[in-house]
Amino acid sequence: MRRIALPDKGAEALFGNHDENLRFLEGSLKVRLRNHGQDLTVEGDEKGEAVVAEVFEQLGQLMKDGYSISPGDVRLAAQLLVEDGGTRLRDYLMKSAVRGGKKVVIPRSLNQRAYLEQIETHDMVFGIGPAGTGKTYLAVAQAVSSLLSKQVARIILARPAVEAGEKLGFLPGDLQDKVDPYLRPLYDALYDLLDYEKVARMLERNAIEVAPIAFMRGRTLNDAFVIIDEAQNTTTEQMKMVLTRIGFGSKVVINGDITQIDLPAGRTSGLVEAMQVLAGVKGISFTYFDEKDVVRHKLVQAVIKAYDAFGADKAAAKP
């Protein structure tokens, strides 16, 4: 049994909402944790006790130095320290950080970190996984960082204007008014990373362009950071068109969730086909996310796992 000293302030952030982080550590490391005011006792096998001690010691020190603990940091720290007991969390968190304008964005899982590393080293990256895993937000943060550091001249954010069978023609207003609701998540990410006025100026100068995929036809995109979001809703033709727009000095990130395809029945998803066609092409990277990478409410993880299990059972039941 070990006794761990807790930080003077902020221990509740380490514990998580309703002590969910403590329950996670107990379940994953097979240890027993008990809170005694300013101390925490941990009882289990030697490795489990050592990991818990390192998690609280290193994150506690980071908190003393002004680091703001996020809900996923304890889980991420435990994952890292299980893989390598000598991991220095400060180096990991700071080295992986992306300065996306007014925010420093830090990957909250191993897959998120791998995703950012692939974006750094590859000109074409596919991010595939469920909602809430940070695919779009991290890509936009990297794009903003690249634009502000003048690594690229512009950012182009695009997604297909197809959602759950709805038709653009039924929406009020002109063409821009019709497509803006489909592009809103991209605007939200921009406004979270940059001041509203700065985004407006960049949009006016075309340093940032947010548009439906159809607007990219016939163009060659040089010196640009291109993000294709909701790519599971592209057709085969759209995906090929987008991927062949990329010019010199450009980088493209294609994101999607192949479990949420809203194309009409009988249409092949351009993302699903691209995963097969491009799997062995040198210079193209694929990062796959799962429920462990979800950075939204903890119930989102449970929902994703439940749907995955239901789909697996349904497939197994087919004759």
Side-chain angles (χ1 to χ4, degrees), residues 196-214:
Y196 184 91
E197 294 78 10
K198 191 162 192 173
V199 173
R201 289 195 302 271
M202 289 180 166
L203 288 169
E204 188 176 344
R205 300 198 320 262
N206 286 326
I208 297 178
E209 181 180 345
V210 185
I213 283 177

Side-chain angles (χ1 to χ4, degrees), residues 56 58 84 88 126 145 147-148 197 236 244 256 258 271 276 283 294 302 319:
F56 281 91
Q58 293 198 46
D84 180 2
R88 296 191 72 245
F126 285 80
S145 176
L147 180 64
L148 295 179
E197 294 78 10
T236 295
T244 54
I258 59 174
L271 177 59
Q276 300 168 356
V294 171

Side-chain angles (χ1 to χ4, degrees), residues 9 18 47 87 101 118 121 146 160 182 197 210 220 232 237 239 243 269 271 274 277 287 294:
K9 295 180 181 179
H18 302 300
K47 182 175 181 180
T87 298
Q118 295 301 326
T121 57
S146 298
Y182 296 100
E197 294 78 10
V210 185
T220 300
Q232 76 274 5
E237 296 79 12
M239 179 60 76
L243 298 182
S269 165
L271 177 59
V277 173
T287 302
V294 171

Side-chain angles (χ1 to χ4, degrees), residues 54 58 77 79-92 113:
E54 281 295 314
Q58 293 198 46
Q79 286 180 325
L80 292 169
L81 289 163
V82 165
E83 289 191 3
D84 180 2
T87 298
R88 296 191 72 245
L89 298 178
R90 181 187 300 275
D91 291 346
Y92 173 91
R113 184 185 188 187

Side-chain angles (χ1 to χ4, degrees), residues 13 20-21 69-75:
E20 63 180 348
N21 288 337
I69 294 291
S70 81
D73 280 340
V74 170
R75 296 181 179 224

